[in-house]
Structure formats: structure tokens, C-alpha cells
Amino acid sequence: MQLLVSGSLAYDRIMSFPGSFADHILPDKIHMLNVCFLVDGLDERFGGTAGNIAYALSMLSEKPIILGTAGKDFDGYEKWLDEKGITREGIKRVDDEFTAGAYITTDKSDNQITGFNPGAMKYSCDYDFSKVDSKDALAIVSPGNLDDMQNFPKIYREKGLPYIYDPGQNIPAFSGEQLLEMIGGCKILVSNDYELEMIMKSTGKTRDELMDICESIIVTLGEKGCLVVEKSGVTEVGAAKAKTIEDPTGAGDAFRAGLIKGLSMGKNLVESAHVGAVSAVYCVEQLGTQEHSYTEDEFWARYEENFGKL
């Protein structure tokens, strides 16, 4: 099955401040803030929604096509994708922009200050969909270029290609009317519980009313698992058991990769959500969104430990 993964490609540049932000920010001077934090160093990691999802899928023997944009500093990330056997055919290079980047400073209390430069993500990837066989394909539209997030659902509906819609952190960038148009006709709307509340508030629709325009909804709940909402009812899916919790960042993307893997195997939504849960737990056990690894045998053994035989 051809798997199309649209979304962001980004560098996560993480800095650690050994003190506390609160000790350097004066509440009565917040209107004229001017501070400098001396950090212990900088750690650069590969990230972005599309990159994270594709990475997790590659470990499950899938060959996803990333639909996204990258900049003039993409060479290191490009090499990483090549090493993982992930095609770059859907990635457009924008030579006068930097690849999207998140600049994250974390203090000793785990408070964070983040700056995000969209860079090349400001541009559509302009992918040629004529080569896609919609009868044997599945797509996910995850947070990335705003034009792509609006246009790809239209293309998928016209082609009869099933797609998962995941607006995520880009929800505030769209009007309620735009969200309804993009969600309408999707196979699955995926969001966490807070994001779903934002969608409902923006569109003026209840969860049941959203179910009138999409096939199903999956609501992720962090360590509590997720809810699989189908027209036949709601199923609670527990999280897989973590051996240690190091960093929840990227777990949602890993979950989506596992969900896609399950669907590509012809499994139902609940079974596919179980695959997603196992994919997610590997991510939370490591720092970074593409630092975890496993063999397929290890993955399916862990699936059986948590949910029984698939």
C-alpha cells in the first residue's frame, strides 16, 4: 500500500538552561522584557510531524512518501532519511530558505520557551498526485504547510483516496468553516482531547455532529490511551506499558504511524489503535522524536505482551 505522509520537516534545536526562568523574569517588568539565558549547550535533532511519522513507519517495513518542504540546510536530515530507506521523492527543496526549526530552551523545572521558524514550510510541496493509485493508498494530512493542509483533502476526496486528518497545532490558523471543509469526508479525524475541544469550539459542532461528516474520530489521551469513536459506539483503548518515561514529545506522531501501519494491514480501528499505542510507547522511552529504535520482532512481541495476539 502506498502511504502518503504530508506535514512538516524540522530541526529541533534544544538548549538546556541550568537555572530557573522565574529567577530572571521580573513580573513588574514583563512589559519591557529583555533577558538572556546562558545555556549548557545545544542538541540538534531531526523532527517535524511528517518526518516523525515516516521514521516510525520505516521501522515497520513501510515505505512512506513524505510530502513536505525543506531548506538549504537539509543535507544532514537528507542523509538520515537515506540511511533509513525513506524516499525523498515528495520533498521539495527551497534553496533560499532554512528548513523549519524549533528553538527550545528548557529550564531545570522543565519550563520551556520555544521559538519556531517555519522557513521552507511556508511553501507548498507541489506534489504530483497523478502517479498515486488511490485504490491502494492511504494518506495522512498532519500539521505543516497551511495550503497543503487545505488542498490535499480536496485532492484525496476527488481521487477517492482515504485520508486521516490531523490539524494539531495548526487548528488556530483556520476558520471553523475551513476546518469543517477539510475534515469532511476524512476516514479518521485524529486529535488529542484539548485539540478536539478547540475544533468543536471553532466549528460550533459537537463530537457527534462532527461524526456526521467523517467516518470516525480518534481522541488521544496521553498516558490514558485513546478513545476510538465510530458510528457503532465508543471504545476505550489503553496505553501500552512504558518501561521508563523520558520524553513524551513525538509520541503522538509515533501513535499515528502505528495507526497507519495497522490500517495498512487491514486491521480494524481498535486493533490499529493498539498498534499505535505500542509505537508511541517506544517514543516516550527516549529523548527526542526519532531516537528510539526496535526490530519488527521486538515490536510485535511487545504488542502481544500488551494486547495479545493480533
Side-chain angles (χ1 to χ4, degrees):
M1 176 177 282
Q2 199 168 25
L3 302 177
L4 306 176
V5 181
S6 64
S8 60
L9 290 161
Y11 286 108
D12 294 331
R13 296 180 170 101
I14 303 165
M15 294 159 281
S16 190
F17 176 56
S20 173
F21 294 146
D23 294 336
H24 299 268
I25 298 175
L26 305 176
D28 60 334
K29 300 293 184 182
I30 199 73
H31 63 288
M32 50 183 294
L33 188 64
N34 187 354
V35 294
C36 176
F37 301 109
L38 184 63
V39 299
D40 285 340
L42 183 145
D43 187 14
E44 182 177 84
R45 297 178 181 146
F46 304 125
T49 55
N52 294 340
I53 294 169
Y55 171 75
L57 281 168
S58 73
M59 287 189 288
L60 294 170
S61 296
E62 295 295 343
K63 301 293 183 183
I65 299 174
I66 295 173
L67 311 185
T69 50
K72 56 189 174 183
D73 58 342
F74 194 61
D75 290 351
Y77 205 148
E78 186 177 81
K79 183 179 178 182
W80 171 253
L81 294 176
D82 291 345
E83 290 173 356
K84 301 303 172 185
I86 301 172
T87 180
R88 292 183 275 110
E89 71 170 85
I91 300 174
K92 175 182 175 180
R93 290 287 290 264
V94 182
D95 292 332
D96 57 352
E97 292 277 4
F98 287 103
T99 302
Y103 299 81
I104 306 163
T105 305
T106 305
D107 74 1
K108 65 180 182 181
S109 301
D110 287 331
N111 298 304
Q112 289 187 336
I113 297 175
T114 301
F116 184 77
N117 171 37
M121 199 178 76
K122 298 194 295 281
Y123 298 85
S124 172
C125 72
D126 298 324
Y127 187 68
D128 179 8
F129 288 96
S130 64
K131 62 185 81 172
V132 177
D133 179 5
S134 58
K135 295 179 181 178
D136 189 35
L138 174 64
I140 181 168
V141 181
S142 63
N145 175 265
L146 299 182
D147 290 334
D148 287 347
M149 291 183 70
Q150 283 191 271
N151 294 330
F152 288 176
K154 298 175 187 176
I155 294 170
Y156 296 149
R157 288 194 298 268
E158 289 170 0
K159 294 179 68 70
L161 193 160
Y163 70 97
I164 299 166
Y165 201 72
D166 170 27
Q169 62 263 36
N170 282 352
I171 291 170
F174 300 110
S175 68
E177 183 178 343
Q178 288 172 324
L179 286 169
L180 289 173
E181 197 278 332
M182 293 181 287
I183 293 167
C186 71
K187 182 177 180 66
I188 312 169
L189 169 64
V190 182
S191 71
N192 63 35
D193 50 348
Y194 182 78
E195 290 164 350
L196 183 60
E197 289 292 335
M198 291 177 65
I199 292 170
M200 292 191 295
K201 182 178 179 180
S202 179
T203 62
K205 301 291 186 182
T206 65
R207 190 180 74 183
D208 289 343
E209 288 172 332
L210 289 172
M211 282 292 294
D212 291 336
I213 63 170
C214 63
E215 291 185 29
S216 54
I217 298 173
I218 292 182
V219 187
T220 59
L221 306 170
E223 71 276 6
K224 296 179 181 178
C226 70
L227 296 179
V228 176
V229 185
E230 302 176 88
K231 290 181 170 60
S232 58
V234 180
T235 305
E236 295 183 8
V237 173
K241 296 180 179 65
K243 297 174 182 176
T244 181
I245 298 176
E246 295 294 333
D247 182 9
T249 308
D253 294 332
F255 173 86
R256 286 149 176 77
L259 175 70
I260 293 167
K261 175 63 178 180
L263 294 171
S264 73
M265 296 168 64
K267 302 305 178 182
N268 63 40
L269 271 189
V270 172
E271 292 169 330
S272 298
H274 286 154
V275 181
V278 177
S279 181
V281 81
Y282 276 105
C283 185
V284 302
E285 291 172 348
Q286 299 290 331
L287 287 170
T289 60
Q290 296 181 33
E291 304 298 321
H292 56 295
S293 64
Y294 45 78
T295 66
E296 280 199 83
D297 287 343
E298 289 170 340
F299 184 92
W300 294 115
R302 194 157 185 187
Y303 180 99
E304 189 170 338
E305 289 172 9
N306 282 273
F307 302 111
K309 289 191 175 182
L310 183 60

